[in-house]
Amino acid sequence: MDGSCEIGPEPCVFLHDPVVPWPGMPQADAEPGAAGRAFRDLMRRRPVVISGMPAAALDARSVADTAEVLGGSVDAVLTGDMPAARVQFPPAYHAMLVQERGIPVWAGLNCRDRNRVALEGEIAALAHAGVAGVHCVTGDHTFTGHRPDAAAVFDLESHELVPRARAAGLLVSVAESPAAPPVERRGGRLAQKVRAGARLCLLQFCGEAQDVAAFVRSARAAGADVPVLPAVPVIVDEYGARVMASFAAAVLPAGLADSVRRAGDPVAAGIEAAVCHARELLTVAGVAGVVLNGVATGGAETLLARSMAAVGRALGAGR
């Protein structure tokens, strides 16, 4: 947030540069598969709720248990990066474990860990598996995780990954951080991702409903007329509050974390706060749903999943 690089004290090299235009040619507009079409149609009928997947890394039993809890309470599960783990199941395998429990998957795919050949293989596998969609991100640098010894690949970045996934018949989302400098160019960045083929945008925590509304207006003015799904923090304990507050370029809603900390029943307070914030966000024009995001203490993954499921049900998801 202070303009420094995420892996060092130097100023961010992109901070004062203009938005880089997408230089590629239009990609084949392949029709999404059955799960992608179903999710797209659902999003046209009502706001959707995507939840994070608070399962333990490399633990198939934890994935199954978490999926069981979330089933029927959310519209899809985002199987993306876990902040406390860099070594994780491959996206297509992770998606398969979740889909075995009957839940649509929105699969996260980052460019940090794989070269373009491996990324294209994952895209093919995800398309074959019939996921609802794929979330294409450049990814955090390895220096920011618990495996700084790993080489950061970045053979591609998100703009280049998006058209490959789109051409494979996947419904594609991208990320944006409206509160991160340069704030005034964030809408333009999304517009270039849309030119590359993105059809949804999942937002990092960026404050209040009015802040999301300001970003949507900026993005629309720049030509990015796609549905936006802002993140909703689901905080049920001190650990989750602390970790989510540490996310780069994230701004939690004012007072939300403190209200959970002070509550006699933090779980109930966290659910209520998440539902209230989500309902405020869903009043914003251009917002087509929300993404429930939380971090679980080791061993408390099912508790967080139950809390997310309660939020999803309160918002009318999973029907």
Side-chain angles (χ1 to χ4, degrees), residues 234-237 260 263-274 303-304 306-308 310-311:
V234 182
I235 299 173
V236 297
D237 58 20
V260 174
D265 185 344
V267 174
I271 292 170
E272 180 181 4
L303 171 63
L304 179 56
R306 286 200 298 267
S307 301
M308 289 178 166
V311 175

PDB file of all heavy atoms in Angstrom, residues 234-237 260 263-274 303-304 306-308 310-311:
ATOM      1  N   VAL A 234     -14.842 -13.505   5.931  1.00  0.00           N
ATOM      2  CA  VAL A 234     -15.536 -14.307   6.935  1.00  0.00           C
ATOM      3  C   VAL A 234     -14.514 -14.577   8.037  1.00  0.00           C
ATOM      4  O   VAL A 234     -13.627 -15.420   7.905  1.00  0.00           O
ATOM      5  CB  VAL A 234     -16.071 -15.627   6.341  1.00  0.00           C
ATOM      6  CG1 VAL A 234     -16.824 -16.416   7.420  1.00  0.00           C
ATOM      7  CG2 VAL A 234     -16.987 -15.339   5.160  1.00  0.00           C
ATOM      8  N   ILE A 235     -14.623 -13.819   9.123  1.00  0.00           N
ATOM      9  CA  ILE A 235     -13.661 -13.869  10.222  1.00  0.00           C
ATOM     10  C   ILE A 235     -14.333 -14.500  11.430  1.00  0.00           C
ATOM     11  O   ILE A 235     -15.374 -14.027  11.890  1.00  0.00           O
ATOM     12  CB  ILE A 235     -13.164 -12.455  10.574  1.00  0.00           C
ATOM     13  CG1 ILE A 235     -12.447 -11.828   9.368  1.00  0.00           C
ATOM     14  CG2 ILE A 235     -12.246 -12.481  11.790  1.00  0.00           C
ATOM     15  CD1 ILE A 235     -12.080 -10.373   9.559  1.00  0.00           C
ATOM     16  N   VAL A 236     -13.730 -15.575  11.942  1.00  0.00           N
ATOM     17  CA  VAL A 236     -14.329 -16.257  13.090  1.00  0.00           C
ATOM     18  C   VAL A 236     -13.371 -16.386  14.267  1.00  0.00           C
ATOM     19  O   VAL A 236     -13.747 -16.902  15.322  1.00  0.00           O
ATOM     20  CB  VAL A 236     -14.860 -17.651  12.690  1.00  0.00           C
ATOM     21  CG1 VAL A 236     -15.977 -17.530  11.668  1.00  0.00           C
ATOM     22  CG2 VAL A 236     -13.743 -18.538  12.165  1.00  0.00           C
ATOM     23  N   ASP A 237     -12.122 -15.917  14.097  1.00  0.00           N
ATOM     24  CA  ASP A 237     -11.183 -15.966  15.215  1.00  0.00           C
ATOM     25  C   ASP A 237     -10.058 -14.954  14.992  1.00  0.00           C
ATOM     26  O   ASP A 237      -9.966 -14.314  13.940  1.00  0.00           O
ATOM     27  CB  ASP A 237     -10.607 -17.374  15.422  1.00  0.00           C
ATOM     28  CG  ASP A 237      -9.880 -17.918  14.191  1.00  0.00           C
ATOM     29  OD1 ASP A 237      -9.476 -17.120  13.321  1.00  0.00           O
ATOM     30  OD2 ASP A 237      -9.709 -19.150  14.105  1.00  0.00           O
ATOM     31  N   VAL A 260     -15.705  -8.551  15.639  1.00  0.00           N
ATOM     32  CA  VAL A 260     -15.646  -9.996  15.855  1.00  0.00           C
ATOM     33  C   VAL A 260     -14.776 -10.310  17.060  1.00  0.00           C
ATOM     34  O   VAL A 260     -15.110 -11.164  17.889  1.00  0.00           O
ATOM     35  CB  VAL A 260     -15.122 -10.710  14.589  1.00  0.00           C
ATOM     36  CG1 VAL A 260     -14.924 -12.198  14.854  1.00  0.00           C
ATOM     37  CG2 VAL A 260     -16.079 -10.489  13.418  1.00  0.00           C
ATOM     38  N   ALA A 263     -16.610  -9.779  20.360  1.00  0.00           N
ATOM     39  CA  ALA A 263     -17.865 -10.490  20.564  1.00  0.00           C
ATOM     40  C   ALA A 263     -17.704 -11.659  21.527  1.00  0.00           C
ATOM     41  O   ALA A 263     -16.664 -12.320  21.575  1.00  0.00           O
ATOM     42  CB  ALA A 263     -18.390 -10.996  19.226  1.00  0.00           C
ATOM     43  N   GLY A 264     -18.753 -11.922  22.293  1.00  0.00           N
ATOM     44  CA  GLY A 264     -18.744 -13.082  23.168  1.00  0.00           C
ATOM     45  C   GLY A 264     -18.747 -14.378  22.387  1.00  0.00           C
ATOM     46  O   GLY A 264     -18.184 -15.382  22.817  1.00  0.00           O
ATOM     47  N   ASP A 265     -19.391 -14.357  21.209  1.00  0.00           N
ATOM     48  CA  ASP A 265     -19.424 -15.515  20.308  1.00  0.00           C
ATOM     49  C   ASP A 265     -18.847 -15.069  18.970  1.00  0.00           C
ATOM     50  O   ASP A 265     -19.586 -14.602  18.092  1.00  0.00           O
ATOM     51  CB  ASP A 265     -20.859 -16.017  20.142  1.00  0.00           C
ATOM     52  CG  ASP A 265     -20.943 -17.292  19.315  1.00  0.00           C
ATOM     53  OD1 ASP A 265     -19.966 -17.624  18.621  1.00  0.00           O
ATOM     54  OD2 ASP A 265     -22.007 -17.953  19.345  1.00  0.00           O
ATOM     55  N   PRO A 266     -17.519 -15.182  18.791  1.00  0.00           N
ATOM     56  CA  PRO A 266     -16.894 -14.685  17.573  1.00  0.00           C
ATOM     57  C   PRO A 266     -17.430 -15.333  16.296  1.00  0.00           C
ATOM     58  O   PRO A 266     -17.517 -14.669  15.248  1.00  0.00           O
ATOM     59  CB  PRO A 266     -15.410 -15.011  17.765  1.00  0.00           C
ATOM     60  CG  PRO A 266     -15.234 -15.168  19.236  1.00  0.00           C
ATOM     61  CD  PRO A 266     -16.524 -15.727  19.735  1.00  0.00           C
ATOM     62  N   VAL A 267     -17.792 -16.604  16.367  1.00  0.00           N
ATOM     63  CA  VAL A 267     -18.285 -17.283  15.166  1.00  0.00           C
ATOM     64  C   VAL A 267     -19.606 -16.670  14.712  1.00  0.00           C
ATOM     65  O   VAL A 267     -19.786 -16.313  13.541  1.00  0.00           O
ATOM     66  CB  VAL A 267     -18.435 -18.796  15.406  1.00  0.00           C
ATOM     67  CG1 VAL A 267     -19.080 -19.470  14.199  1.00  0.00           C
ATOM     68  CG2 VAL A 267     -17.075 -19.419  15.702  1.00  0.00           C
ATOM     69  N   ALA A 268     -20.546 -16.527  15.646  1.00  0.00           N
ATOM     70  CA  ALA A 268     -21.841 -15.935  15.305  1.00  0.00           C
ATOM     71  C   ALA A 268     -21.665 -14.492  14.831  1.00  0.00           C
ATOM     72  O   ALA A 268     -22.318 -14.053  13.868  1.00  0.00           O
ATOM     73  CB  ALA A 268     -22.781 -15.990  16.509  1.00  0.00           C
ATOM     74  N   ALA A 269     -20.779 -13.754  15.504  1.00  0.00           N
ATOM     75  CA  ALA A 269     -20.539 -12.365  15.113  1.00  0.00           C
ATOM     76  C   ALA A 269     -19.914 -12.291  13.730  1.00  0.00           C
ATOM     77  O   ALA A 269     -20.257 -11.409  12.929  1.00  0.00           O
ATOM     78  CB  ALA A 269     -19.639 -11.690  16.143  1.00  0.00           C
ATOM     79  N   GLY A 270     -18.986 -13.206  13.430  1.00  0.00           N
ATOM     80  CA  GLY A 270     -18.344 -13.207  12.119  1.00  0.00           C
ATOM     81  C   GLY A 270     -19.322 -13.510  11.004  1.00  0.00           C
ATOM     82  O   GLY A 270     -19.265 -12.901   9.923  1.00  0.00           O
ATOM     83  N   ILE A 271     -20.235 -14.451  11.259  1.00  0.00           N
ATOM     84  CA  ILE A 271     -21.252 -14.775  10.255  1.00  0.00           C
ATOM     85  C   ILE A 271     -22.169 -13.585  10.022  1.00  0.00           C
ATOM     86  O   ILE A 271     -22.455 -13.209   8.877  1.00  0.00           O
ATOM     87  CB  ILE A 271     -22.061 -16.009  10.710  1.00  0.00           C
ATOM     88  CG1 ILE A 271     -21.169 -17.256  10.700  1.00  0.00           C
ATOM     89  CG2 ILE A 271     -23.287 -16.209   9.827  1.00  0.00           C
ATOM     90  CD1 ILE A 271     -21.807 -18.459  11.361  1.00  0.00           C
ATOM     91  N   GLU A 272     -22.629 -12.976  11.106  1.00  0.00           N
ATOM     92  CA  GLU A 272     -23.539 -11.833  10.974  1.00  0.00           C
ATOM     93  C   GLU A 272     -22.872 -10.672  10.248  1.00  0.00           C
ATOM     94  O   GLU A 272     -23.478 -10.043   9.367  1.00  0.00           O
ATOM     95  CB  GLU A 272     -24.004 -11.379  12.358  1.00  0.00           C
ATOM     96  CG  GLU A 272     -24.963 -10.195  12.316  1.00  0.00           C
ATOM     97  CD  GLU A 272     -25.409  -9.739  13.692  1.00  0.00           C
ATOM     98  OE1 GLU A 272     -24.906 -10.292  14.692  1.00  0.00           O
ATOM     99  OE2 GLU A 272     -26.246  -8.813  13.776  1.00  0.00           O
ATOM    100  N   ALA A 273     -21.610 -10.398  10.582  1.00  0.00           N
ATOM    101  CA  ALA A 273     -20.904  -9.291   9.926  1.00  0.00           C
ATOM    102  C   ALA A 273     -20.720  -9.559   8.442  1.00  0.00           C
ATOM    103  O   ALA A 273     -20.869  -8.653   7.609  1.00  0.00           O
ATOM    104  CB  ALA A 273     -19.544  -9.087  10.601  1.00  0.00           C
ATOM    105  N   ALA A 274     -20.416 -10.807   8.092  1.00  0.00           N
ATOM    106  CA  ALA A 274     -20.231 -11.153   6.689  1.00  0.00           C
ATOM    107  C   ALA A 274     -21.534 -11.014   5.904  1.00  0.00           C
ATOM    108  O   ALA A 274     -21.549 -10.502   4.779  1.00  0.00           O
ATOM    109  CB  ALA A 274     -19.680 -12.571   6.564  1.00  0.00           C
ATOM    110  N   LEU A 303     -14.808 -25.696  10.840  1.00  0.00           N
ATOM    111  CA  LEU A 303     -15.527 -24.604  11.506  1.00  0.00           C
ATOM    112  C   LEU A 303     -15.694 -23.421  10.567  1.00  0.00           C
ATOM    113  O   LEU A 303     -16.786 -22.844  10.449  1.00  0.00           O
ATOM    114  CB  LEU A 303     -14.785 -24.172  12.769  1.00  0.00           C
ATOM    115  CG  LEU A 303     -15.306 -22.902  13.457  1.00  0.00           C
ATOM    116  CD1 LEU A 303     -16.731 -23.104  13.958  1.00  0.00           C
ATOM    117  CD2 LEU A 303     -14.389 -22.493  14.613  1.00  0.00           C
ATOM    118  N   LEU A 304     -14.632 -23.050   9.877  1.00  0.00           N
ATOM    119  CA  LEU A 304     -14.726 -21.934   8.948  1.00  0.00           C
ATOM    120  C   LEU A 304     -15.650 -22.288   7.787  1.00  0.00           C
ATOM    121  O   LEU A 304     -16.440 -21.440   7.332  1.00  0.00           O
ATOM    122  CB  LEU A 304     -13.337 -21.545   8.431  1.00  0.00           C
ATOM    123  CG  LEU A 304     -13.287 -20.389   7.428  1.00  0.00           C
ATOM    124  CD1 LEU A 304     -13.951 -19.134   7.986  1.00  0.00           C
ATOM    125  CD2 LEU A 304     -11.840 -20.086   7.018  1.00  0.00           C
ATOM    126  N   ARG A 306     -18.228 -24.272   7.879  1.00  0.00           N
ATOM    127  CA  ARG A 306     -19.611 -24.167   8.370  1.00  0.00           C
ATOM    128  C   ARG A 306     -20.058 -22.712   8.433  1.00  0.00           C
ATOM    129  O   ARG A 306     -21.221 -22.394   8.138  1.00  0.00           O
ATOM    130  CB  ARG A 306     -19.731 -24.813   9.749  1.00  0.00           C
ATOM    131  CG  ARG A 306     -19.708 -26.329   9.734  1.00  0.00           C
ATOM    132  CD  ARG A 306     -20.302 -26.904  11.022  1.00  0.00           C
ATOM    133  NE  ARG A 306     -19.522 -26.508  12.184  1.00  0.00           N
ATOM    134  CZ  ARG A 306     -18.529 -27.227  12.710  1.00  0.00           C
ATOM    135  NH1 ARG A 306     -18.197 -28.384  12.146  1.00  0.00           N
ATOM    136  NH2 ARG A 306     -17.873 -26.815  13.774  1.00  0.00           N
ATOM    137  N   SER A 307     -19.138 -21.823   8.811  1.00  0.00           N
ATOM    138  CA  SER A 307     -19.475 -20.400   8.871  1.00  0.00           C
ATOM    139  C   SER A 307     -19.751 -19.859   7.478  1.00  0.00           C
ATOM    140  O   SER A 307     -20.706 -19.098   7.261  1.00  0.00           O
ATOM    141  CB  SER A 307     -18.330 -19.634   9.532  1.00  0.00           C
ATOM    142  OG  SER A 307     -18.086 -20.112  10.842  1.00  0.00           O
ATOM    143  N   MET A 308     -18.922 -20.244   6.504  1.00  0.00           N
ATOM    144  CA  MET A 308     -19.153 -19.815   5.121  1.00  0.00           C
ATOM    145  C   MET A 308     -20.472 -20.355   4.592  1.00  0.00           C
ATOM    146  O   MET A 308     -21.218 -19.657   3.894  1.00  0.00           O
ATOM    147  CB  MET A 308     -18.002 -20.283   4.239  1.00  0.00           C
ATOM    148  CG  MET A 308     -16.684 -19.553   4.474  1.00  0.00           C
ATOM    149  SD  MET A 308     -15.379 -20.220   3.427  1.00  0.00           S
ATOM    150  CE  MET A 308     -14.130 -18.923   3.591  1.00  0.00           C
ATOM    151  N   ALA A 310     -23.100 -21.019   6.336  1.00  0.00           N
ATOM    152  CA  ALA A 310     -24.187 -20.250   6.966  1.00  0.00           C
ATOM    153  C   ALA A 310     -24.387 -18.916   6.270  1.00  0.00           C
ATOM    154  O   ALA A 310     -25.521 -18.472   6.055  1.00  0.00           O
ATOM    155  CB  ALA A 310     -23.882 -20.035   8.453  1.00  0.00           C
ATOM    156  N   VAL A 311     -23.278 -18.270   5.900  1.00  0.00           N
ATOM    157  CA  VAL A 311     -23.382 -17.005   5.159  1.00  0.00           C
ATOM    158  C   VAL A 311     -24.045 -17.246   3.811  1.00  0.00           C
ATOM    159  O   VAL A 311     -24.939 -16.500   3.382  1.00  0.00           O
ATOM    160  CB  VAL A 311     -22.003 -16.364   4.985  1.00  0.00           C
ATOM    161  CG1 VAL A 311     -22.095 -15.109   4.114  1.00  0.00           C
ATOM    162  CG2 VAL A 311     -21.382 -16.025   6.335  1.00  0.00           C
TER     163      VAL A 311
END
